[in-house]
Every structure is written in structure tokens, then in C-alpha cells.
Amino acid sequence: MSRQTEDERLLHTDPYRQVHDFTHTDTWRVLRIMGEFVEGFENMAGLGPAVSIFGSARIPPASPIYAAAAETARLLAQAGFTIITGGGPGLMEAANKGARAGGGRSVGCTIELPFETGANPFVDLEVRFRYFFIRKIMFVKYAQAFVIFPGGFGTLDELFEALTLIQTGKIHDFPVILYGSDFWQGMLDWARNTLLAHGTIAQTDIDRLLICDDPQQICAHVVQSYQHRHGKRGTEPWTH
């Protein structure tokens, strides 16, 4: 039987529970949420410039996409960026592996799930979360760019979370790069031919998405964007 997670407990409401019990339980849960925010901020505040890399946990190491994720992370690490992933297997593992190979810091923001696998062996700093929404804030708060590799619902959730925050002006307009034109082009065509055609998004929303099949081009775009935004300060990432 799967273990009930904290997210599941948070979202569950028992209509027969007494008012006093309800207040007591959720009040303590709020304190736990506050503590999780504090722990996340304390662990991640000193990371410096970072890139969050997302992708499927189901991609095996023999896949060319796995190799591309590792190479992308390696180049970004060499350029001075910390690499942040969800800390799991598949493409998250590939990115953490690449970060270590590039001599950079490798961070895994892991999440409590009913069937836990733990952090992959290439994570140098594991920051563990019970709640998805806190974890997603950490991905965004400390990232200078998002690189999105092929993935499923979780990857799409992280992609559209970033796009929504950029669209609404909640965060600065950092690069959102999609690796794999074969995988992502259909979604981009649908967004252009359906969402844009019906007026539910603007052309500027489409323009925020960059599809790229070359790890070196991804790294160059992230570095260029960072340097432009920070005015080439002394603390900027560097390239070999």
C-alpha cells in the first residue's frame, strides 16, 4: 500500500471532523510549511547563478536525450552555473551527473512521494520537500534560466508554471529553453495555431519559448542572457 504524502493530507478535508480538530491540525500544518520554506531558503540562498533543468524520470542512461542533458549541464556548470534538478532518476540524474563532470554544484530538490526512490547518486546537495508548491518556488526563485527536456505531466507543470509567472510579471523574463524539436514542436504549433489563434495568449508569450537541439547553443544563450541582464558584473558566470 502506498504511503500518504503531506500534499495528500493537506488537500484532504474530512466533512465530519470537529471544528476544533480541523483548526488544530491545519494550524500545525502551516507551521510545518513555514519550516520547509525556511529550510529551503537556508540551503539554497548561497548557490549563486543557477539553472533549473527539468525532464522525465523515465529516460534511461542509454538514451541520446540522457547524453544531451548531461552535456548541457556540464557546459553550464563549466560556465559558472549551479545546476538544480528534481534530484530523481532519468534526465534529472543526467543533469546532476553533467554538473559534477563540469566541476559545478549539483543540487537535487527531491519530493516526498508514495513510492520513494531517493536522490540520484550525482546530487551533491539534496534539499528535501514534502509539498510540491514549495519545491516549485525553489526551482524558480534561484534560477537564472529554465532548460526543459522531454518529460511528462510533472515536466509540463514546471514549464507552464514558469511561463505563467513570467507572463504575469511575477518573475523576471529569464530564458525558457526546450530541448528537442521533435518532441516540442507539436506543442508549439498547437499553441500558435489554437491558443494564439483564439486570442488566449499573445505573440510575446510564444516568443518566450526557444526550441534548441544543441547543448552548446543552449549554454551560449543562457550565458548571453545572464550577462545582458546583469551588465557583465564581476560575479557573472564565465566560459572557458
Side-chain angles (χ1 to χ4, degrees), residues 3-44:
R3 182 166 57 83
Q4 191 179 44
T5 66
E6 288 296 331
D7 269 322
E8 188 176 358
R9 295 187 187 101
L10 173 65
L11 296 174
H12 175 73
T13 298
D14 182 356
Y16 300 104
R17 187 163 50 185
Q18 296 298 313
V19 173
H20 175 76
D21 293 339
F22 173 84
T23 304
H24 179 78
T25 300
D26 285 353
T27 298
W28 281 103
R29 184 168 290 120
V30 167
L31 294 176
R32 175 174 282 182
I33 289 169
M34 290 174 59
E36 193 160 302
F37 270 119
V38 170
E39 184 177 356
F41 293 152
E42 286 184 342
N43 277 287
M44 300 183 69

